[in-house]
Amino acid sequence: MRYKFLTAPSFLRQLKKLEHALQDEVYEKLELLKGRTNHKQLRVHALKGLYKGRYALSVNFRYRVIFKFGPAKDDISLLSVGDHDIYQ
């Protein structure tokens, strides 16, 4: 079984602002995440503080995707994509 992605409108707006090659890289990483295996290259980690209950994955050394699991068991809600400024 694979995860199903739910996208926040803000995620889609942020994704559209990225260069086309970077958008492709984001889609590749999300496909890895969808497969339910813990890929070390994604460097998925839990966030703290204001972002408690959310997770981040690395697209590359600069860009991240913030997401959370749910609302259903097999859902991942994609919340934000961008460089480290998305944490502010």
Side-chain angles (χ1 to χ4, degrees):
M1 182 171 273
R2 296 168 58 96
Y3 285 114
K4 181 177 86 175
F5 291 131
L6 306 173
T7 54
S10 59
F11 175 84
L12 295 175
R13 282 192 304 272
Q14 292 166 345
L15 185 63
K16 286 181 183 179
K17 291 181 182 179
L18 300 177
E19 296 176 13
H20 185 69
L22 188 54
Q23 289 179 18
D24 290 342
E25 201 171 345
V26 170
Y27 289 127
E28 287 174 18
K29 301 298 179 170
L30 291 176
E31 279 302 311
L32 290 175
L33 181 66
K34 189 184 273 190
R36 287 188 173 255
T37 55
N38 186 8
H39 294 277
K40 289 184 180 184
Q41 71 189 66
L42 296 177
R43 296 191 294 280
V44 173
H45 57 281
L47 300 175
K48 300 175 184 174
L50 294 174
Y51 295 99
K52 186 176 181 179
R54 297 180 180 145
Y55 298 84
L57 67 83
S58 297
V59 175
N60 56 31
F61 288 111
R62 183 173 176 193
Y63 287 88
R64 308 283 182 267
V65 172
I66 296 177
F67 65 95
K68 67 179 180 178
F69 293 99
K73 182 176 92 173
D74 295 330
D75 292 344
I76 292 179
S77 297
L78 302 173
L79 305 173
S80 187
V81 61
D83 59 15
H84 281 95
D85 290 342
I86 61 175
Y87 296 124
Q88 298 175 3

